[in-house]
Amino acid sequence: MSNDVVDTLISPEGRLEVLSKAEVAKLLDTSQGGLYQVFRKCALAVLNSGSSIDDGKELLERYKEFDIKIIQRERGIKLDIRSAPAHAFVDGKMIKGIHEHLFAVLRDIVYVNFEVTDNPRFDLNRPEGITDAVFHILRNANVIQPQRNPNLVVCWGGHSINRVEYNYSKHVGYQLGLRELDICTGCGPGAMKGPMKGATIGHAKQRLQGGRYLGISEPGIIAAESPNPIVNDLVIMPDIEKRLEAFVRTGHGIVVFPGGAGTAEEILYILGILLHPENAEMPFPLVFTGPSTAREYFEQIDQFIGLTLGERARSRYKIIVDDPEAVAHEMHTGIRQVREFRKSRSDAYYFNWGLKIDPEFQHPFRPTHENMRSLSLHKNQETHLLAANLRRAFSGVVAGNVKEEGIRAIEKYGKFEIHGEDEIMAPMDKLLQSFVEQSRMKLPGKEYIPCYRVVR
């Protein structure tokens, strides 16, 4: 890819035409406490849509000169953008979807900082306060739509998948779209883009207007997983834990495609929640699927779950190999059960308030070397809490693989060490090694150097 860059001046369309002086000052504050670095990093990621970079540090280093400033005018704001990736433009004009995503980033960063983080009404030390914050961020982004019947399928899977798996994810999305189901993903490439692309065709065949392709990201991961161009609703949550909670509170079912450490993290997150005793009766369709070439991948995942979390965890999902129609049918049927369940309890369709999420899944985990070493990875604890700690371990591997902060920490202090009892460490080591062998840790063609060491 060439390093061609473009300078431009753009105005918002629709919402967010004005900002207060305090908001502008904080967005342009380049000190440690200022928002400028977060805003710059997320804006560059959005402008980098369609690129083959999956390394937050590499992206920032490639576009060192990139700069974005807010110009406050009486009629509203403008963004002054310097040295932006040229592939975000056509004939010198910014692609409309990228333009929208830029202002979605600005909207969410401003809202989270001024209305959530600094707001005493949200007690982010309590589970209810965290859930309330997640709801308000989504509502501010106009994602909460009470007039709709349940129809949102969350699709998880790797950004680094092969062409066969990508095409399969498109076929599944197409079958979901034919059943008038909407798609929510982590907004990036690979298994996050495929289902959305397929669903657009399914929706078009059904003459469905207003199909939703919701992308949910967070500042730490967005540079490695730039929003794909199908996303028509983009939301930037403050951290990975609130991003994961947004998925399970807004979605009505989940389809998991093959992936790497990030996908394992997502699987452990949803299973840990579904294993909580208070969620035992709650219907939540969960399907793992891929083409026939991914059969071994799901056998490895299934085996790992059985050895670490047990049979009850295995009973909460179905594995369907090489059958997109069966996956869509399973989701469609499962979401009907979700609707009946919520209707019988007068629960909201648009946000799953009734789902019990343990605080261990909500509090942000910072994957430092010390925190990774100190994880409690043994079977002498409740199963859903073991799932929470396993989720943190995989979250650390993701950070070391693709997040700027994690990559720099590995360069400075060496590999993360993951300690635990052998019954857990042996299957975990085996699973991670299989991800490496199948090139699931980085985009194809890039050499992978492990950022972790499993200590047994």
Side-chain angles (χ1 to χ4, degrees):
M1 186 193 95
S2 71
N3 247 15
D4 291 345
V5 292
V6 172
D7 297 342
T8 189
L9 197 64
I10 62 168
S11 305
E13 291 176 9
R15 301 173 77 201
L16 204 84
E17 289 182 354
V18 291
L19 291 173
S20 73
K21 286 185 177 176
E23 287 168 335
V24 173
K26 203 156 184 185
L27 281 161
L28 297 182
D29 180 1
T30 56
S31 70
Q32 281 300 100
L35 287 183
Y36 175 74
Q37 292 304 338
V38 175
F39 178 45
R40 176 179 179 265
K41 184 164 70 172
C42 292
L44 179 55
V46 164
L47 289 160
N48 196 48
S49 177
S51 159
S52 60
I53 298 177
D54 71 338
D55 179 324
K57 177 170 165 277
E58 184 189 335
L59 177 63
L60 291 166
E61 287 177 353
R62 182 176 292 193
Y63 294 100
K64 276 198 183 90
E65 303 302 311
F66 171 72
D67 191 29
I68 184 163
K69 291 278 191 290
I70 295 163
I71 299 173
Q72 184 83 294
R73 293 183 174 165
E74 284 184 22
R75 291 197 310 276
I77 62 166
K78 281 186 180 288
L79 294 183
D80 183 9
I81 300 168
R82 300 296 165 107
S83 298
H87 53 250
F89 299 81
V90 175
D91 297 336
K93 192 169 183 191
M94 188 178 289
I95 294 168
K96 192 159 184 160
I98 290 175
H99 184 286
E100 283 179 7
H101 289 169
L102 259 184
F103 283 97
V105 162
L106 182 58
R107 173 202 68 209
D108 294 338
I109 287 174
V110 167
Y111 183 79
V112 167
N113 196 267
F114 286 87
E115 304 296 333
V116 178
T117 311
D118 293 345
N119 191 339
R121 65 170 287 204
F122 294 108
D123 184 351
L124 298 179
N125 293 312
R126 294 175 60 246
E128 298 82 4
I130 293 170
T131 299
D132 207 29
V134 169
F135 173 80
H136 278 81
I137 294 165
L138 292 170
R139 188 177 70 176
N140 183 63
N142 205 28
V143 165
I144 303 293
Q145 299 186 359
Q147 69 277 17
R148 286 177 180 258
N149 270 323
N151 78 330
L152 190 63
V153 179
V154 174
C155 294
W156 284 339
H159 73 291
S160 174
I161 57 173
N162 61 43
R163 177 55 61 175
V164 174
E165 290 169 353
Y166 174 72
N167 287 338
Y168 180 82
S169 75
K170 270 203 305 194
H171 291 311
V172 172
Y174 170 66
Q175 290 294 336
L176 293 169
L178 284 177
R179 288 158 180 81
E180 302 188 10
L181 296 169
D182 288 336
I183 307 292
C184 172
T185 76
C187 94
M192 292 168 270
K193 180 182 177 184
M196 288 185 167
K197 209 165 185 182
T200 59
I201 307 301
H203 288 161
K205 281 195 173 183
Q206 294 289 18
R207 301 295 185 264
L208 189 69
Q209 300 295 316
R212 296 175 76 202
Y213 314 106
L214 172 62
I216 303 177
S217 193
E218 53 100 9
I221 199 77
I222 193 170
E225 296 176 355
S226 292
N228 74 67
I230 315 293
V231 172
N232 61 8
D233 266 324
L234 176 66
V235 188
I236 312 296
M237 303 302 290
D239 51 59
I240 190 70
E241 287 77 12
K242 291 178 189 64
R243 179 197 193 197
L244 288 166
E245 182 163 349
F247 281 130
V248 300
R249 296 272 187 204
T250 55
H252 303 108
I254 296 176
V255 174
V256 182
F257 296 99
T263 305
E265 176 184 3
E266 290 163 340
I267 289 170
L268 289 161
Y269 180 84
I270 185 60
L271 287 179
I273 288 168
L274 295 178
L275 287 170
H276 194 289
E278 290 185 37
N279 296 326
E281 302 304 313
M282 183 170 287
F284 202 109
L286 177 60
V287 174
F288 300 172
T289 191
S292 54
T293 52
R295 189 183 300 276
E296 186 188 354
Y297 169 83
F298 284 114
E299 285 171 356
Q300 289 165 332
I301 292 276
D302 187 48
Q303 187 181 31
F304 173 75
I305 291 165
L307 290 169
T308 55
L309 303 180
E311 291 305 308
R312 199 157 64 86
R314 293 181 72 212
S315 71
R316 291 302 312 229
Y317 57 84
K318 279 191 179 175
I319 297 175
I320 299 174
V321 176
D322 209 22
D323 195 341
E325 215 169 316
V327 173
H329 181 73
E330 183 71 28
M331 272 295 122
H332 198 235
T333 305
I335 287 173
R336 272 209 302 266
Q337 291 168 353
V338 168
R339 184 180 184 277
E340 294 309 312
F341 180 83
R342 295 205 199 167
K343 192 177 178 185
S344 69
R345 287 164 170 72
S346 299
D347 288 343
Y349 291 159
Y350 53 83
F351 193 81
N352 194 349
W353 293 104
L355 194 67
K356 172 70 177 176
I357 300 183
D358 192 278
E360 294 295 311
F361 289 93
Q362 290 184 305
H363 292 300
F365 172 69
R366 196 154 167 258
T368 62
H369 282 72
E370 186 184 349
N371 288 344
M372 289 291 281
R373 246 191 319 269
S374 307
L375 286 172
S376 181
L377 299 173
H378 57 79
K379 288 199 171 180
N380 191 22
Q381 59 186 315
E382 288 185 78
T383 312
H384 69 278
L385 297 180
L386 171 58
N389 283 313
L390 283 168
R391 197 280 302 176
R392 290 175 177 134
F394 282 97
S395 191
V397 174
V398 173
N401 282 350
V402 298
K403 295 188 181 182
E404 183 205 2
E405 190 181 1
I407 292 167
R408 292 192 192 280
I410 299 297
E411 285 175 354
K412 192 171 181 182
Y413 303 112
K415 296 179 180 183
F416 288 135
E417 288 185 354
I418 307 171
H419 295 251
E421 66 184 28
D422 200 51
E423 272 185 88
I424 291 167
M425 290 296 97
M428 184 177 186
D429 196 11
K430 187 179 173 187
L431 185 65
L432 284 167
Q433 190 53 41
S434 74
F435 292 165
V436 175
E437 288 164 3
Q438 294 167 24
S439 300
R440 296 192 182 279
M441 295 295 208
K442 297 288 281 181
L443 285 171
K446 296 194 175 185
E447 184 195 358
Y448 177 65
I449 299 164
C451 64
Y452 63 89
R453 182 165 63 246
V454 174
V455 182
R456 291 157 63 180

